[in-house]
Amino acid sequence: QVQLVESGGGLVQAGGSLRLSCTASASGSIFSDNPMGWYRQAPGKERELVAAITGAGSTNYGKAVKGRFTVSRDSRKKTVYLQMSSLKTEDTGVYYCKLWTLTAPQQIYWGQGTQVTVSS
């Protein structure tokens, strides 16, 4: 079983920065071999992809955050990070960490979420 624990959320003014962390309690190979991602959900909206990173380090970003957010991972610490800069009020939401396996049967794990609030 894999558990994901997010941290680093909080209240920040528009234009500011925050760094989120997601630490996995999983075997080394489960963490290092599989992609992880950050998703967010604003009130009344669907959950959307923010950023994803493969085990090899390739990244993908949602259109709304490209150029402002950076995702990275540390296999030794089994942690994935989301560095958020130039934050906007529309970045407000609950941010969730996700890990999914690439081999069948696919398994998907979610963290409990961390609140990010950007004030104007």
Side-chain angles (χ1 to χ4, degrees):
Q1 187 68 15
V2 174
Q3 289 188 325
L4 304 175
V5 179
E6 301 103 333
S7 62
L11 174 65
V12 64
Q13 285 192 327
S17 299
L18 274 178
R19 188 176 82 155
L20 305 183
S21 300
C22 172
T23 300
S25 62
S27 70
S29 61
I30 291 178
F31 179 84
S32 60
D33 292 352
N34 293 295
M36 293 188 70
W38 287 96
Y39 289 72
R40 69 186 181 189
Q41 188 164 20
K45 295 188 176 180
E46 293 187 355
R47 194 171 294 189
E48 64 174 355
L49 171 71
V50 175
I53 184 167
T54 68
S58 296
T59 58
N60 182 42
Y61 295 92
K63 190 176 180 181
V65 307
K66 206 166 187 178
R68 299 187 296 120
F69 291 10
T70 302
V71 61
S72 60
R73 63 193 297 163
D74 184 331
S75 293
R76 186 175 59 86
K77 295 181 179 180
K78 298 181 186 178
T79 299
V80 63
Y81 303 98
L82 183 69
Q83 178 67 49
M84 306 185 292
S85 303
S86 301
L87 282 160
K88 304 175 181 180
T89 55
E90 51 263 44
D91 294 318
T92 294
V94 179
Y95 283 68
Y96 297 91
C97 177
K98 176 185 177 183
L99 181 153
W100 61 100
T101 61
L102 297 177
T103 55
Q106 185 178 59
Q107 298 177 66
I108 298 174
Y109 304 96
W110 289 94
Q112 81 288 353
T114 186
Q115 176 71 44
V116 172
T117 303
V118 184
S119 64
S120 59

